[in-house]
Structures are given as structure tokens and as C-alpha cells.
Amino acid sequence: MYRLNLPTYPIKITKKGEKQQIFDFLRRKYVALTPEEWVRQHFVHYLVEHKGYPQGLLSNEVELKVGEKKLRCDTVLYDQALHPRMIIEYKAPTIPLQQKTFDQISVYNLLLKVDYLVVSNGLQHYCCKMDYEQQRYVFLEALPDYQSL
């Protein structure tokens, strides 16, 4: 696949017919191995194994509804009371992170009102902390450890 700007981990890949699948340890099943899924699996392992995020508080492919329209957050981090704290949006490594990526995650945040927004294409990662009182956001130099949230 692609070499990413993330630590490696023991990847589990299998084949279903002609298609490769990668094991998603949050959903506990094999899913289609796409470039975006490659980034997601590496990033989620990074959060759990290197940043101390509890596996049980992370969820992949979280569905949101806006009227009849269904949206899907790539990954959501919840707090102990299961309120959303962070939304993470992934793109394939070949897709540059542009304003439309931030617009996309902002739409999700209109519904969830989280404290942190993260976007990554596996090569670049951006994290911003929301400040609802001042109606602004601040980009952080690095993704915080779980204990720092």
C-alpha cells in the first residue's frame, strides 16, 4: 500500500475473492482495503498504542442523520459518558488536505459539537481545538495525548 507518516503495527490482511481486506479492530471485522481505510487503521492504532486513547471510546463509521440525509464520520472519540469529544476525518494519501476536507468535518461538527477536529491523509495530520465561547478554533502543533484532552 502506501508508506505513511504514522507508526506501523501488526497489520492483518486477507483476501475475499479478488479484493483485499484489512482487519478493523474497533469494528472487530475485516473491511475493504482502500487507501483511506489504510490511513484509518494506522491512525486508530496510533491513537490507542502511542497516544493512550481507550479503544472502547473510539468508533469507526459513525452514522449521522440530517433530515433524510445520512452522513458518516470516519472516527469519533467519546468521553466516559459517551458524549462525542473528537471527530477524525481521513483521506487517501494521494488526496491533499484542502479546505473542502475541513468544510466536510465542520458539517459533522454542527451536529456533534466536539472539542477537537482532526484530519489526516496519513502523511499530514491537523488537529484543532474548538473554542465555542470565542466562536473560533485553534490549530494545535501536535495531536494531544488522551490524558491531555
Side-chain angles (χ1 to χ4, degrees):
M1 246 302 137
Y2 298 92
R3 185 174 186 91
L4 303 177
N5 185 16
L6 291 163
T8 60
Y9 71 97
I11 302 162
K12 295 181 185 176
I13 294 178
T14 190
K15 263 191 156 183
K16 187 173 185 180
E18 293 299 311
K19 304 271 185 184
Q20 285 192 314
Q21 294 188 319
I22 189 167
F23 188 72
D24 180 336
F25 79 119
L26 296 183
R27 291 181 272 182
R28 295 182 179 93
K29 66 179 184 177
Y30 282 91
V31 296
L33 177 54
T34 63
E36 183 178 309
E37 193 64 44
W38 181 253
V39 172
R40 179 197 333 256
Q41 293 308 315
H42 279 79
F43 202 90
V44 170
H45 278 270
Y46 169 66
L47 291 176
V48 172
E49 295 167 11
H50 298 271
K51 291 292 191 174
Y53 287 57
Q55 179 179 339
L57 296 180
L58 289 163
S59 185
N60 285 337
E61 294 288 324
V62 175
E63 188 174 285
L64 305 174
K65 289 185 181 180
V66 180
E68 295 296 312
K69 189 173 183 177
K70 291 182 181 179
L71 305 172
R72 213 176 279 274
C73 294
D74 288 337
T75 301
V76 175
L77 169 71
Y78 297 91
D79 64 16
Q80 296 291 335
L82 300 182
H83 298 113
R85 290 276 329 266
M86 178 184 286
I87 303 170
I88 308 165
E89 179 64 25
Y90 309 106
K91 296 297 177 195
T94 56
I95 297 177
L97 299 177
Q98 298 177 334
Q99 184 60 48
K100 66 183 181 178
T101 307
F102 292 94
D103 294 345
Q104 179 183 0
I105 200 170
S106 295
V107 168
Y108 302 154
N109 198 38
L110 290 173
L111 298 169
L112 296 182
K113 297 191 178 15
V114 299
D115 298 323
Y116 297 90
L117 300 176
V118 178
V119 295
S120 176
N121 63 4
L123 303 173
Q124 296 178 295
H125 325 290
Y126 295 97
C127 178
C128 61
K129 181 165 178 26
M130 303 302 297
D131 180 347
Y132 293 104
E133 282 185 20
Q134 299 293 319
Q135 296 184 342
R136 65 186 183 114
Y137 53 88
V138 177
F139 280 94
L140 305 178
E141 298 235 354
L143 184 72
D145 292 335
Y146 181 74
Q147 297 299 329
S148 304
L149 295 181

